[in-house]
Structures are given as C-alpha cells and as structure tokens.
Amino acid sequence: MQTPAPSPAVLDELKAALGPGGWTQDPEVIAPALTEWRNRWTGHTPILLTPRSTEETARAVAICAREGVAITPQGGGTGLVGGQIPFGEVLLSTRKMRAVRDVTPLDDAMTVEAGLTLLEAQQAATAAGRYFPLSLAAEGSATIGGVISTNAGGTQVLRYGMMRDLVLGLEAVMPNGEIFRGLKRLRKDNTGYDLKQLLIGAEGTLGVVTAATLKLFPIMRSRAVAVVGLETAAASVELLARAKAETGGGVEAFELMKRLGMELVLKNIPDTREPLDSTPDWYVLIEIASGTPGGAEAQMEALLEVAFEQGLITDAAIAQNDAQRAAFWRLREEHSAALKPEGGGWKHDVSVPISRIAEFIDEASAAVERFHPGARISVFGHVGDGNLHYDILPGVGQDIPAFIGRWKEGSQVVHDVVGTYDGSISAEHGLGRLKTEEVKRYKSPLEIETMAALRRAIDPKRIMNPAVLF
Amino acid sequence: MQTPAPSPAVLDELKAALGPGGWTQDPEVIAPALTEWRNRWTGHTPILLTPRSTEETARAVAICAREGVAITPQGGGTGLVGGQIPFGEVLLSTRKMRAVRDVTPLDDAMTVEAGLTLLEAQQAATAAGRYFPLSLAAEGSATIGGVISTNAGGTQVLRYGMMRDLVLGLEAVMPNGEIFRGLKRLRKDNTGYDLKQLLIGAEGTLGVVTAATLKLFPIMRSRAVAVVGLETAAASVELLARAKAETGGGVEAFELMKRLGMELVLKNIPDTREPLDSTPDWYVLIEIASGTPGGAEAQMEALLEVAFEQGLITDAAIAQNDAQRAAFWRLREEHSAALKPEGGGWKHDVSVPISRIAEFIDEASAAVERFHPGARISVFGHVGDGNLHYDILPGVGQDIPAFIGRWKEGSQVVHDVVGTYDGSISAEHGLGRLKTEEVKRYKSPLEIETMAALRRAIDPKRIMNPAVLF
C-alpha cells in the first residue's frame, strides 16, 4: 500500500509550524529511519518531522488532519512487524521528546516523554529507589512511546504484566490534532471508558503517544537464578505451577529452551558454555526475587528440592554470583542471534494457553515435519505467558533459498495449529505491516469490523498509520 | 430520563424468543430488581428478561437492536450509582447464567458465566487450589458480569489490581445482537485493539457481558494482619512505601481510618472494641501475605520495628489468630454502617495521587468547614490506591434534614478539591445515573466527545443503558 505524497504547500506549512530543527528532508539523515533493522522493509517519506514538544506534535498533526495527509509515528524503530516504516506517509519521530517530567516515589509513579528509551526510563526509576520492570532485548533503543503503542512484553511479564498493565496515565495527540491530557497518577478512576487502554497497543493508528505516567515497584532485596534440565516441555508447565506456589508469585522469569536452541548458542556464540553437567532435551531458566534478604535463594532451594523429589527436573545449577547469572541469561538472550548462521528461519511469536504448551509443541512440530520433512525446530520463550518463539530452520544440508522461499506457507502451517489452540499469532510483537492481512484468517468478522468502526470514530480520515491494522 | 415503552408486538417477540422461564412481567418478581439497595432509585420496566444462555441473550438483544428498544443489563444489583436500574428500558438480568465453564489450574485461569456471584467465583478458585483476589463487601450478591462492567475495586487492588487487571478473556453480546467470542486464556495477544478492555468498566453501555475468563493466583502460605496507630495521615503514606519495600510488594491491604470513623464503629456497632491501648488520630490496618510459611509474620514484625524506630507509628497490635484478624477487619468493614445512626451523610468515592493524600484531606476538610461549619468528617479507604471514602456527617446537634438538603452543593465542594489534585470523583463505583452529568465538570470536551464517538460506533441506536455515561 502506497500513500500519495502531500502537496508542496502542505510540506511548507509543516516546516513553518515546526521551525528549524523540527523537520528534515535530508536523505542521509532520514535514511536510518526508513529501514527496519533486520532489513525486511525499506520505506520512503517526503519529510521527517521531529517535534520537540506535545504542542509541536499537535500542531503538525492538526495540519495533516485538515489536509488528510497520512502520518507514520516512529519511536526507536525496533519493531519487528514494520509498523514504524512509512511508505509515502509523513514520518513523525518522537526522538526529541525525551524529558523525565517527574518521578514521585511515594506514588510509585513517574511521568516520562515518549522519546525516552526504555533503558533510560528504567534508570530514572532506579535513581529514585524504585524499579520499572518492562525489559526486552532492544531496550537501549526502544522508546516509551513505542513500547506503549505496541503493548510490549519481554521477560518480566509473568510477574509484572505487559506494558498495558504498567501505564497509569497517558498523553497523546489525537488524529484531529487535539491533545488528550490523561497523565493521571491514579490507581483507580472509573469515570467512563478507559481511553488510555484503547491507545495502548494501537500501533500508532489512534494517535501519537507523547508522554506517559508509568507504574513503579519496590526494588527487590534478593534474587536467585537457576538453569534446570527437564525431560519434557510438559514438565516445565508443572514446574512453573510449583514455582508460583512456592514463592507466592515471586517468579520473575521462567524461560523455556529446547536442546537444539541451546546447541546452536553453544556452537555459534563465542564464550558460552553448557550450564549443566548433563544435556537434557529441555532447559528452563528460572529467576526468583523477594523483598526479604536471602528470601529468593531460600525459595529457589526449596523449589528445586521439591522438583527433584517429584521427578520434574533431572538436573539444576544455581548461579553463585552476578557473572554466573549473566552467563545463564546470555544463553537465553542469544537464542535469536544463534539461528542466523544456520541460514535463517521461519520465525513465529505465538501464544497458547500455558496448560497446552507441550501438546501444542508436539502438534505443531508434527505439522511442520509433514510440510517440510527434516526441518529443525527451535522453541524458546516465556512459559509463564504461554508465549513461544517457535522458529524453524532448514534441515542440515537442505537447500536454504528453497527453504526460505516456503516461509509464507510454512508460517501458515504453524499459525493454523495456533488457531486450533485458541492461541495468538502475535503474542507480543503486534501486527504492523507484516501480519495485518494474515490475522484476518484467525479473527471473526465481528472483531475486525468492530475495530474498524472504533478507528473510523477516532480517525475518520484514516490518517494515522493507514497501512497498519484494520 | 425516561425511555419510551416497547410495543406489545416487540414484547411478544421477546417472550417467544426466550420461552417460558426466560422472562416475567409479574410485578412481585420484578420489584426487587427495580430498587437500589440503599433506596436511592426505584425504576420501572415493561419486562424482565432472564436468558439462560449467551445464545438466548443474543436473540433478545438482536430483537431490541432491530426495533431500537433500550435495554438495561443487570447483575447482582449492588451498584451504588444507579446504573442497574431501568426507567422504562427492558431489564435484562444475567442471574440465570451461572455456570463455572472450566477451571484450568495450570493456566491459572477459570471461565465463569456472568451471573455467578463474586463469592462463588472465589470459591470455585479455592476449590481448584488457586486464589481469585477481587474482594468487596457485596461479594455475596455482586456478579462477575457486574464487577466486570463496573471495573470493581475493593480491598485487594494494591497487590492484584482492579477487575480490569484480572480478566484474560471475555464473551459479550454486542449491541447489534452478535456474540463477541473472546474467551481466550492467553496472557499475551497483540492482534489489534483490546476490545475486552473497552467493555470492562463500560457500565453496560457497549454490550452485555455473558462470561469471562479470570486470572487466578497461587494461594499464599502465610498471612499477617496488624492495626497500627499514627499521628498523621502523611505518616501512613510513608509507612506504605516502607511496607512495600520491606515485603517486595507483598502488602495485600493497607486501609486508613480516621479516629472519628473508629469512634462511630465502637459506638454504633455491637461487639467491637478498641484495637490499640492508645487512641491515635489515625489508624491503618495492614495485611501482608507471603508464599513462605511464617514469611508474612516475619515481614510484619520487621516492618513494625522499623516503623517504630522511624517514628512513623505510635502503637501497633498484630492479630494473634483468625478471630482477632476478623475482629480487626470488622472495624474497617463496618465504617459505612456506623455512619447511618448519625443521620446519614454526604458520601464520596474519590481518588488522588497517593503522595498527596494528606494534603488533600487537609484542604478538603478546610473547604467543607468553610461551607458547612461544624460538619464532621470520616475518612477511610485504600491508601495504596489513593482511594478515599470521604464522608461528611452533620455536626453534633445540627439540623439533619437541612444538612442532607445541602448534599449536592457540599459534594461539589469536595469534588472541586479533588479536581485540583488531578483526582477522580469516582474511583471505584462508576458514574451510572448518579454522576454522569456531574463528571462533565471535570473532564475535557475531547474526552467526553471521544467516548461518545466510540459509543456511537458500537451502538449507533444507543439501546444499551442509554441514560448512563456519554
């Protein structure tokens, strides 16, 4: 889908509205913002707007609204589904709105602007003696506006929830150019529809998020990390239930890894080593945190003891220091990078009910084997969220380009199994340009039409990220 | 606002669609459903529909949609703002849809129908070895559909969130009579706008909730309850921050009470006694829960020790057994009932940022004293949510009817102060018939108009609870 270019007069008006430093048409400056970081999309835009305030953002959007000119909002550009790449739309970057407006520890709240990176937001919380839990691989570049607009997930969702659960208040420029001033620090406010919940995860289609008030948490006083070996994926689900009970909800991360993925990390990533003495079919990385000094370690030991007794795990190693903790986490975090030297793969970000994870893995793997015999399957992900990164690699010695060429059909094989499990074909990455069409196969006409009607109500000219969503 | 009565032909069609047992026009059967339990509203309806399934509900709504006949959905009828009382609308009760459709402990999820009471839902979770945390005084009557439609709060919000945070999936009959089948058990699903979040808290204006998949939690293994005395409300806010840090987020309840409220409980409620040896100006009831046996008691003792040392509290009593725990909780729960014998009062369910609670109480109290000298003020509520039940009683010896007559103006005095604190005039009760007009004073035209546009998009004929919201 291509969006027609705005007229020179409109471009002039946008330039005048934002003034020097508020826009650029320099191809070299714009170029990095047009390419998705995995080189899957390269877009184009007549102009890059970089407003420095909510008011400047509102001014620009108002002009576009009046003229029916389309806008693609962009944060850190780390999205994985192409939602941030313009194809003819005006590109509006929040990168110059980076203030920490306030931090109030007694409210467990802080208000930050959309262009602040997730890492900087975490650091601002820590500096105030609090913890902001959302954490993901791209946090050094991903921005608050972006993680809100995509309802980002990551590794701490099990205990703290998705970004949707971490936003107390929101400020946004609506598609008509008006400012929604919803930066409340309230925990309870039942006065009509929750507009901020509608904007969270809307992928920039209902407005431009300019600032948010985020929920903070106490800093934990003890933390324990272990890697355990299991015979089956089903055992990991039982182990999770046991871990939640044993800690009273104190599990911060619970990451499943299949032997193949571990082998590829050990093979392709330097300075990694087997975490266990054995080589089990499945691994889980468990992180427990507690408010009591020594509490997490005690809970981890109690958990592993029970798990051994019940035959849920076959091996375990508890990290003895920070370096070992980091080494364990690295084994999990390098799973994506470790696939690349194998010739790339068909990647899937799916979720299913936790209780059905093992069954799903078996059924999907059988379907993939029927579709492309010999393909290798790496499974890793957040068991506590039912969220698996289910990646398919060419078999050893198979023709890689031929394999890559079957990506679309192969993905549908996996997604169709997800569909029969009442799962989601985009657990945490969103739909963007990549999956908007495909998802229609798995959603009811009622859902699609209701979303489209809501969008028409808020953005009747469909100027906000027009190629994304319904 | 009065809704015109449906024609006899439409009533006949509704009767035929639901069949015997699915409707009644017997005034005696209908009467209890027409009166709000505090006798603030008494409505009327041409017919009470009691569908036994989602499909029957859809059939009834489809007929009303075609004919433009208005519907008021009703759950347990315990709402405090009149949203469940029809004034001419068809009354649709979910009381006959009461199944627990499934409980899957490994998913920490259960699916129940809208007419199940909150208490029954809690019991179904407990029977499966899990915990459903939402808890409020009316839980024996309040239904799941009702607590979802009003985004109910209660005493456990601090740790577990509002109802909005506890719903994984939703089934609802939309205003066109179609069924939204969103009963997913997923923790992550980023595939478009979150329709369930829009329906939660919509007070029955966007559809009829028929079933929901709820989030369950592990059962805690230790629990400690204490009542402490404090010199100021400000100290309670500091104490809360300390309690969160000391427990790593394990505080389940943190309830502030002013001396006046405590005095009225001791005076007007039988079998209650002073919890402390002293009579401080402010009290807090603290409940801590932990996954470790003995953990909650240890954390409570550590907390109170630090709090004494830092001068945050002046007195404390830890409950030694279940009976004492219940007695402490009763002092808090009887606060509303204890006001009645004093001649009633102006009641407010407000929220402000936690850090500003003490300042708010001072400023609001000064404003009330200026408006009605001598009025007595009871303040109690959920400090952790910034949610205060701020109730004003006539002064001793004052003319009670004259005082009651000033309710509307007096409330505005309080709400105007709430407004200047960026607070909410309905923290957990919703707007209903009571506050829909008043709230417009505190919301921007953009917010009101956006909500109205969303509603028109989903319910163009405005048949769902037409007098409620915007």
Side-chain angles (χ1 to χ4, degrees):
Chain A
M1 181 170 158
Q2 293 281 334
T3 294
S7 70
V10 170
L11 291 177
D12 285 345
E13 196 177 347
L14 286 169
K15 291 175 196 174
L18 296 188
W23 60 274
T24 179
Q25 290 183 302
D26 180 341
E28 283 190 30
V29 178
I30 296 180
L34 297 177
T35 306
E36 190 257 358
W37 65 281
R38 294 186 300 190
N39 278 315
R40 205 159 183 164
W41 294 269
T42 298
H44 56 94
T45 185
I47 192 166
L48 169 62
L49 305 181
T50 53
R52 286 145 298 195
S53 67
T54 305
E55 286 65 31
E56 285 192 357
T57 307
R59 223 175 290 153
V61 173
I63 293 167
C64 293
R66 195 193 66 214
E67 300 292 332
V69 167
I71 300 169
T72 294
Q74 189 179 88
T78 61
L80 294 166
V81 290
Q84 75 277 30
I85 307 296
F87 282 79
E89 295 90 352
V90 165
L91 183 59
L92 192 157
S93 168
T94 58
R95 63 176 73 161
K96 291 192 178 167
M97 294 185 280
R98 300 169 38 75
V100 176
R101 290 200 195 156
D102 67 64
V103 187
T104 48
L106 286 179
D107 291 320
D108 282 332
M110 69 177 178
T111 299
V112 301
E113 292 186 345
L116 199 73
T117 68
L118 178 52
L119 182 62
E120 290 164 335
Q122 293 165 357
Q123 289 164 344
T126 307
R130 293 293 186 275
Y131 176 59
F132 183 67
L134 198 86
S135 175
L136 38 82
E139 63 198 20
S141 308
T143 60
I144 291 301
V147 296
I148 289 174
S149 295
T150 58
N151 185 30
T155 53
Q156 308 295 97
V157 174
L158 175 55
R159 182 165 191 169
Y160 298 98
M162 305 283 282
M163 193 62 184
R164 181 180 300 292
D165 303 301
L166 303 175
V167 177
L168 292 171
L170 204 65
E171 179 189 85
V173 174
M174 302 302 285
N176 63 0
E178 286 190 58
I179 300 170
F180 166 53
R181 299 186 190 277
L183 286 178
K184 298 211 168 189
R185 300 205 300 269
L186 305 177
R187 308 256 153 182
K188 285 184 173 172
D189 180 19
N190 277 342
T191 54
Y193 310 147
D194 193 332
L195 297 179
K196 72 175 181 305
Q197 285 295 341
L198 193 60
L199 283 156
I200 297 169
E203 303 192 29
T205 64
L206 298 180
V208 183
V209 172
T210 51
T213 303
L214 306 178
K215 220 185 258 188
L216 304 181
F217 294 84
I219 292 176
M220 294 292 162
R221 290 174 176 172
S222 59
R223 200 166 277 280
V225 173
V227 171
V228 301
L230 310 91
E231 283 177 2
T232 63
S236 75
V237 173
E238 297 280 349
L239 179 64
L240 171 66
R242 173 62 61 182
K244 285 182 183 174
E246 203 68 44
T247 60
V251 186
E252 301 238 323
F254 194 94
E255 302 283 310
L256 181 70
M257 294 166 277
K258 198 182 155 188
R259 178 70 197 155
L260 173 67
M262 186 67 83
E263 278 170 3
L264 296 178
V265 169
L266 298 172
K267 175 184 163 199
N268 295 330
I269 307 292
D271 301 323
T272 54
R273 53 181 291 271
E274 285 276 6
L276 301 175
D277 296 330
S278 57
T279 54
D281 286 349
W282 295 91
Y283 297 79
V284 169
L285 184 157
I286 310 169
E287 181 158 352
I288 292 172
S290 159
T292 307
E297 295 85 341
Q299 288 175 336
M300 183 68 86
E301 277 165 28
L303 168 65
L304 297 184
E305 198 179 309
V306 171
F308 269 120
E309 268 169 29
Q310 300 193 337
L312 291 175
I313 61 175
T314 57
D315 202 352
I318 301 181
Q320 297 302 318
N321 51 48
D322 282 353
Q324 220 172 354
R325 244 173 249 165
F328 282 178
W329 264 111
R330 195 154 168 258
L331 295 171
R332 160 64 184 82
E333 284 163 352
E334 295 289 356
H335 258 65
S336 276
L339 300 183
K340 276 190 190 164
E342 302 298 310
W346 313 331
K347 299 193 157 206
H348 308 90
D349 163 43
V350 304
S351 68
V352 296
I354 299 168
S355 64
R356 304 191 71 193
I357 282 179
E359 201 186 336
F360 164 78
I361 291 173
D362 287 348
E363 192 172 331
S365 302
V368 168
E369 176 61 25
R370 279 193 302 276
F371 175 74
H372 196 92
R376 292 175 297 162
I377 297 169
S378 163
V379 182
F380 61 100
H382 324 294
V383 176
D385 317 321
N387 180 194
L388 299 175
H389 299 294
Y390 187 94
D391 297 340
I392 305 168
L393 299 170
V396 178
Q398 287 187 347
D399 177 0
I400 293 177
F403 172 82
I404 298 295
R406 303 192 77 193
W407 160 68
K408 223 164 171 175
E409 282 169 281
S411 276
Q412 191 169 305
V413 168
V414 174
H415 288 167
D416 281 354
V417 179
V418 171
T420 66
Y421 278 76
D422 262 340
S424 169
I425 68 160
S426 188
E428 52 180 15
H429 296 165
L431 297 176
R433 290 177 178 268
L434 182 65
K435 294 183 184 169
T436 288
E437 273 313 305
E438 189 190 2
V439 83
K440 293 179 182 166
R441 191 175 163 89
Y442 308 102
K443 290 217 171 270
S444 67
L446 173 72
E447 287 170 274
I448 303 284
E449 181 37 47
T450 304
M451 290 189 210
L454 293 172
R455 184 178 190 160
R456 282 192 301 270
I458 291 193
D459 181 14
K461 292 184 181 172
R462 201 180 174 97
I463 65 164
M464 297 302 309
N465 229 1
V468 169
L469 301 188
F470 315 108
Chain B
M1 182 169 158
Q2 294 281 332
T3 295
S7 71
V10 170
L11 291 176
D12 285 346
E13 196 178 346
L14 286 168
K15 291 175 194 174
L18 296 187
W23 59 273
T24 179
Q25 291 183 303
D26 179 341
E28 283 189 31
V29 178
I30 296 179
L34 298 177
T35 307
E36 190 256 0
W37 65 282
R38 293 187 300 190
N39 279 314
R40 204 158 183 167
W41 294 270
T42 299
H44 56 94
T45 184
I47 193 166
L48 169 62
L49 305 180
T50 53
R52 286 145 298 197
S53 67
T54 306
E55 286 64 30
E56 284 192 356
T57 307
R59 223 174 290 152
V61 174
I63 293 167
C64 293
R66 195 192 67 215
E67 301 291 332
V69 167
I71 300 169
T72 293
Q74 189 180 88
T78 61
L80 294 166
V81 290
Q84 75 276 30
I85 307 297
F87 282 79
E89 296 90 352
V90 165
L91 183 59
L92 192 158
S93 168
T94 58
R95 65 175 72 163
K96 289 191 178 168
M97 294 186 280
R98 301 171 34 77
V100 176
R101 290 199 195 158
D102 67 64
V103 187
T104 48
L106 285 180
D107 290 321
D108 282 331
M110 68 177 179
T111 299
V112 301
E113 292 185 346
L116 199 73
T117 67
L118 178 52
L119 182 62
E120 290 164 335
Q122 293 165 357
Q123 289 165 343
T126 306
R130 293 294 186 273
Y131 177 59
F132 183 67
L134 197 87
S135 175
L136 38 83
E139 63 197 21
S141 309
T143 61
I144 291 300
V147 296
I148 289 174
S149 295
T150 57
N151 185 30
T155 52
Q156 308 294 97
V157 173
L158 175 55
R159 182 166 191 169
Y160 298 98
M162 304 283 282
M163 193 62 184
R164 180 179 301 291
D165 303 301
L166 303 174
V167 176
L168 291 171
L170 204 66
E171 179 188 84
V173 174
M174 302 301 284
N176 63 0
E178 286 190 58
I179 300 170
F180 166 54
R181 299 186 191 277
L183 286 178
K184 298 212 168 187
R185 300 206 299 270
L186 305 178
R187 308 257 154 181
K188 284 184 175 174
D189 181 17
N190 277 342
T191 54
Y193 310 146
D194 194 333
L195 297 179
K196 73 175 180 306
Q197 285 295 341
L198 193 60
L199 282 156
I200 297 169
E203 304 193 28
T205 64
L206 298 179
V208 183
V209 171
T210 52
T213 303
L214 306 179
K215 219 184 258 187
L216 304 180
F217 294 83
I219 292 176
M220 293 293 161
R221 289 173 178 173
S222 59
R223 199 165 278 279
V225 174
V227 170
V228 301
L230 310 91
E231 283 177 3
T232 63
S236 76
V237 173
E238 298 280 349
L239 180 64
L240 171 67
R242 173 62 61 183
K244 284 182 182 175
E246 202 70 44
T247 61
V251 186
E252 301 237 324
F254 194 94
E255 302 283 311
L256 180 70
M257 295 166 278
K258 198 180 152 188
R259 177 72 197 155
L260 174 66
M262 185 67 83
E263 279 171 3
L264 296 178
V265 170
L266 297 172
K267 174 184 164 200
N268 295 330
I269 307 292
D271 302 324
T272 53
R273 53 181 291 272
E274 285 277 5
L276 301 175
D277 295 330
S278 56
T279 54
D281 285 349
W282 295 92
Y283 298 80
V284 169
L285 184 156
I286 310 169
E287 180 157 351
I288 292 172
S290 159
T292 307
E297 295 85 340
Q299 288 175 336
M300 184 68 88
E301 277 165 28
L303 168 65
L304 297 184
E305 199 179 308
V306 171
F308 269 119
E309 268 169 29
Q310 299 193 337
L312 291 175
I313 62 176
T314 56
D315 202 353
I318 301 181
Q320 297 303 318
N321 51 48
D322 283 353
Q324 220 172 353
R325 243 173 252 166
F328 283 178
W329 264 110
R330 197 156 166 257
L331 295 172
R332 161 65 183 83
E333 284 163 350
E334 296 288 356
H335 258 64
S336 277
L339 300 184
K340 277 190 191 163
E342 303 298 310
W346 313 332
K347 299 193 159 206
H348 308 91
D349 162 43
V350 304
S351 68
V352 295
I354 299 168
S355 64
R356 305 191 70 193
I357 282 178
E359 201 186 336
F360 164 77
I361 291 173
D362 287 347
E363 191 172 331
S365 302
V368 168
E369 176 62 23
R370 279 194 301 276
F371 175 75
H372 196 92
R376 292 175 298 162
I377 297 169
S378 164
V379 182
F380 62 100
H382 324 295
V383 176
D385 317 320
N387 180 194
L388 299 175
H389 299 294
Y390 187 94
D391 297 339
I392 304 168
L393 299 171
V396 178
Q398 287 189 345
D399 177 1
I400 293 178
F403 172 83
I404 297 296
R406 301 191 78 192
W407 160 67
K408 225 166 170 171
E409 283 168 279
S411 277
Q412 192 169 304
V413 167
V414 174
H415 288 166
D416 281 354
V417 179
V418 171
T420 66
Y421 279 75
D422 261 342
S424 169
I425 68 160
S426 188
E428 53 179 15
H429 296 165
L431 298 175
R433 291 178 178 268
L434 181 64
K435 295 184 185 170
T436 288
E437 274 312 306
E438 189 189 1
V439 83
K440 293 179 182 166
R441 190 176 164 90
Y442 308 102
K443 289 215 172 272
S444 67
L446 173 72
E447 287 170 275
I448 304 284
E449 180 37 46
T450 304
M451 290 188 208
L454 293 171
R455 183 178 191 161
R456 282 192 302 270
I458 292 194
D459 181 13
K461 292 184 182 171
R462 200 180 174 97
I463 65 164
M464 297 303 307
N465 229 1
V468 170
L469 301 190
F470 315 110

